[in-house]
Amino acid sequence: MKVRVIEPGNRPYKPTILNHFVYDRYIRTPSVGLNTLATIVKEKVKDTLMYSESISRLVMDDILDADMIVIGIFTFSAVRGYQLARYFKKKSHAVVVMGGLHASMHYREAVKYCDYVLLGEGDESILELVEAVKKGETPAFPGVVYRKDGKLVHTGQRRAPETFETIPDKNLVYHYKKMAGYNTLWGQVHASRGCPHNCDYCALVRHFGRRVRTRTPDNVLEDIKRTIAFQEEGHHRLLKALWITDDNFFADREWAKAVLQKIIDSGIHYHFTVQARWEVGMDDEMLELLKKAGFVEIAMGIEFIDDESFALYHKKSSKDKIVESIENIQRHGLSVRGLFILGADNHTVGAGEKLADFVIEHNIKGALIQCMYFVPGTPVYESHKDRLLHHNWSKYNGNAVHIPEKMTPYELQMEHIKASRKIYSVSRLIQAFLHEDNLHKLLFLGEFFWHMSIRQDLKKELPYLKRVSSRSKGH
């Protein structure tokens, strides 16, 4: 049997000098989740390989004679995923399977393009599906959707796996070893799943659940060691950094402390970053452990800078608490990266400039800004369905895709552009080179070019958004 696992690219990879500077245009770190599934399949099917359009072009001759093709999609990559699925269905005899967050949460759409949709996390069900395909049988186990005689068949919900200790084999990803020397590609480790909170716009809590499940600290440490070795061996990286990609690494406090202590005891000397909510900034013990373990920054899901927005989307937070958290994190020698959303129902023209001023005033080292995003299956998607401009999922990557309450889609897009331009101005780049340490000089330089690229893409949408805005004035 031959299995090929595919990660579509919203903008498929192409070789360019930009890949050394601009993340997310033609280069992106391959999916840890899909790599994990490929590793699990490899244990049973020797001829298993993963392609990621984040780092390489697809070798179609190799893929088309596979027995089973698995395509994993997020919302922003769904259009490309469907395009590939149609092509594989037409050109090959493979059983085509789709999975991932978007396919799971919007399976009624995804199933139109493939033989089966694999729901949820797939660590256990993927091998059952491989066996069914090998035997030519129709899957009867929970966690699969398919069509039969024109009708949708859903085999039932499947419980999420309690243990998931598989360390993804990055060598299974075509061309990854060659590309790992790029400073734009950070090593990634995902150590836990689930989040106890319930923010309306968050798809991950709907996908992974509100109960936090964790890998053993020893297993996480081994994954970190292998990831660092993969990134470093045979390469001369300027940016020696690894990203713990958990949605809320600190949700299980005692476990998080145990992982950090394992890193400290191992003697690893590396730069780490991790995602977190604001609460970690109030935990002095945790911040001290982070600093000792080599963490240099916390990517904080701030989202909004006004209390009304927090209340609207059921995010338990406040502006005062956010500021207090940022200041305490900085006192411990760690920097803060902010993740922000523009386009809440209470936002008006000027929200982008206020956001930029907040970032600059509080010395936030980096910013990821998105217009309000809408993943099918989330409460915010359901409540705003009648205000979405379209379902071209490839545009659901930071663009304005809905009609806000208090400004037009065009105005929202412009707020995004203005915020990015002010935060990543030439004058601030010069300041970074004059005053920041070498690590943050390099980070700001990369993000300067990244945001320049983002603004170019945002500007391309302005003529369309101007047209639809003129039609929606009466909303």
Side-chain angles (χ1 to χ4, degrees):
M1 189 177 187
K2 178 177 179 179
V3 177
R4 291 296 178 262
V5 179
I6 313 295
E7 180 185 20
N10 188 12
R11 184 188 277 112
Y13 174 81
K14 78 172 185 179
T16 166
I17 194 69
L18 286 173
N19 294 335
H20 290 279
F21 307 101
V22 182
Y23 184 78
D24 209 22
R25 176 164 282 270
Y26 300 113
I27 196 166
R28 169 188 273 257
T29 305
S31 164
V32 173
L34 208 55
N35 190 189
T36 300
L37 286 191
T39 304
I40 292 169
V41 172
K42 177 74 171 180
E43 295 174 5
K44 296 291 184 181
V45 180
K46 189 174 181 180
D47 193 358
T48 298
L49 187 67
M50 175 177 163
Y51 288 93
S52 173
E53 288 194 305
S54 301
I55 57 166
S56 74
R57 292 171 171 151
L58 304 180
V59 181
M60 288 300 184
D61 289 345
D62 175 57
I63 298 169
L64 290 175
D65 68 348
D67 300 295
M68 177 171 160
I69 300 172
V70 181
I71 304 170
I73 55 173
F74 291 99
T75 297
F76 65 84
S77 62
V79 172
R80 175 62 175 166
Y82 295 154
Q83 178 188 18
L84 289 172
R86 277 197 303 265
Y87 181 81
F88 295 144
K89 288 284 291 176
K90 182 178 179 180
K91 297 291 185 178
S92 80
H93 298 290
V95 172
V96 178
V97 180
M98 301 200 82
L101 190 147
H102 185 85
S104 292
M105 296 187 69
H106 205 21
Y107 59 79
R108 292 180 184 278
E109 175 186 88
V111 76
K112 298 174 185 177
Y113 300 91
C114 60
D115 296 298
Y116 302 108
V117 173
L118 194 64
L119 303 173
E121 296 172 40
D123 302 61
E124 298 165 345
S125 53
I126 187 67
L127 291 183
E128 295 178 51
L129 186 56
V130 166
E131 284 302 308
V133 171
K134 190 183 291 186
K135 295 175 182 177
E137 298 175 352
T138 300
F141 54 86
V144 180
V145 170
Y146 60 93
R147 291 179 298 169
K148 183 177 181 180
D149 300 327
K151 295 182 179 179
L152 188 79
V153 178
H154 189 308
T155 62
Q157 291 300 119
R158 189 183 188 99
R159 289 189 63 182
E162 290 295 322
T163 58
F164 41 96
E165 299 285 270
T166 301
I167 296 176
D169 180 0
K170 295 173 177 62
N171 289 295
L172 277 180
V173 185
Y174 178 75
H175 260 221
Y176 195 6
K177 184 61 180 176
K178 176 184 174 183
M179 303 299 290
Y182 281 60
N183 288 302
T184 41
L185 299 180
W186 288 31
Q188 295 186 356
V189 170
H190 202 85
S192 67
R193 300 177 187 174
C195 177
H197 301 283
N198 202 30
C199 306
D200 286 356
Y201 43 80
C202 181
L204 294 167
V205 71
R206 275 86 202 172
H207 187 66
F208 291 117
R210 295 183 66 185
R211 188 169 61 83
V212 178
R213 293 162 289 128
T214 60
R215 294 163 62 186
T216 61
D218 283 327
N219 182 258
V220 176
L221 179 64
E222 181 60 27
D223 196 348
I224 288 170
K225 288 179 177 177
R226 292 189 196 180
T227 300
I228 291 173
F230 184 84
Q231 295 285 120
E232 296 293 333
E233 290 173 2
H235 301 123
H236 300 285
R237 292 178 59 90
L238 293 174
L239 189 58
K240 297 178 181 296
L242 185 146
W243 180 18
I244 307 279
T245 59
D246 299 38
D247 310 303
N248 191 355
F249 179 79
F250 304 99
D252 184 333
R253 185 175 185 274
E254 293 306 312
W255 170 84
K257 285 168 56 181
V259 172
L260 294 176
Q261 193 61 56
K262 285 285 182 184
I263 296 172
I264 293 167
D265 294 343
S266 73
I268 292 172
H269 297 290
Y270 214 64
H271 293 133
F272 296 94
T273 185
V274 64
Q275 295 181 163
R277 284 172 53 95
W278 63 271
E279 290 93 341
V280 72
M282 309 301 190
D283 190 335
D284 290 329
E285 182 184 7
M286 193 73 76
L287 295 175
E288 289 170 11
L289 286 172
L290 284 165
K291 185 65 177 175
K292 287 179 184 176
F295 284 74
V296 293
E297 72 170 21
I298 292 174
M300 188 186 295
I302 298 172
E303 274 96 51
F304 309 113
I305 56 171
D306 64 283
D307 292 353
E308 185 181 352
S309 294
F310 290 131
L312 278 171
Y313 300 98
H314 300 101
K315 169 124 183 168
K316 294 178 180 177
S317 189
S318 72
K319 183 178 180 180
D320 288 344
K321 289 293 185 185
I322 291 289
V323 171
E324 185 180 350
S325 174
I326 291 169
E327 290 174 348
N328 198 39
I329 290 168
Q330 291 168 343
R331 276 194 294 270
H332 282 79
L334 299 162
S335 62
V336 174
R337 174 178 305 277
L339 314 178
F340 298 98
I341 300 171
L342 289 169
D345 284 344
N346 62 309
H347 284 182
T348 58
V349 171
E353 185 160 2
K354 290 177 184 175
L355 170 57
D357 289 342
F358 180 88
V359 169
I360 295 167
E361 178 186 353
H362 296 288
N363 196 26
I364 294 173
K365 297 297 186 185
L368 169 64
I369 307 166
Q370 291 189 308
C371 296
M372 180 60 74
Y373 46 93
F374 303 89
V375 177
T378 58
V380 76
Y381 178 86
E382 295 300 324
S383 63
H384 288 69
K385 279 194 295 190
D386 62 335
R387 288 159 54 192
L388 296 177
L389 298 176
H390 54 73
H391 285 98
N392 180 356
W393 305 122
S394 66
K395 304 297 184 184
Y396 282 54
N397 60 350
N399 286 289
V401 295
H402 83 298
I403 302 170
E405 284 280 358
K406 297 186 176 180
M407 53 182 157
T408 66
Y410 176 85
E411 288 169 337
L412 173 56
Q413 192 88 336
M414 284 302 303
E415 291 304 307
H416 188 170
I417 292 168
K418 290 173 186 176
S420 169
R421 191 163 52 211
K422 188 167 186 177
I423 295 167
Y424 290 95
S425 64
V426 173
S427 63
R428 295 198 74 234
L429 176 64
I430 294 169
Q431 285 179 354
F433 270 89
L434 290 175
H435 302 294
E436 296 290 354
D437 58 39
N438 289 334
L439 174 66
H440 287 96
K441 282 184 175 70
L442 192 60
L443 287 174
F444 198 96
L445 178 65
E447 291 181 16
F448 178 85
F449 286 112
W450 176 45
H451 272 259
M452 185 183 293
S453 168
I454 289 171
R455 291 195 299 274
Q456 288 174 355
D457 288 340
L458 293 172
K459 289 173 183 176
K460 290 176 184 176
E461 293 298 302
L462 288 175
Y464 162 74
L465 292 172
K466 199 166 193 174
R467 290 196 302 273
V468 297
S469 295
S470 65
R471 297 198 296 266
S472 65
K473 284 284 188 182
H475 178 80

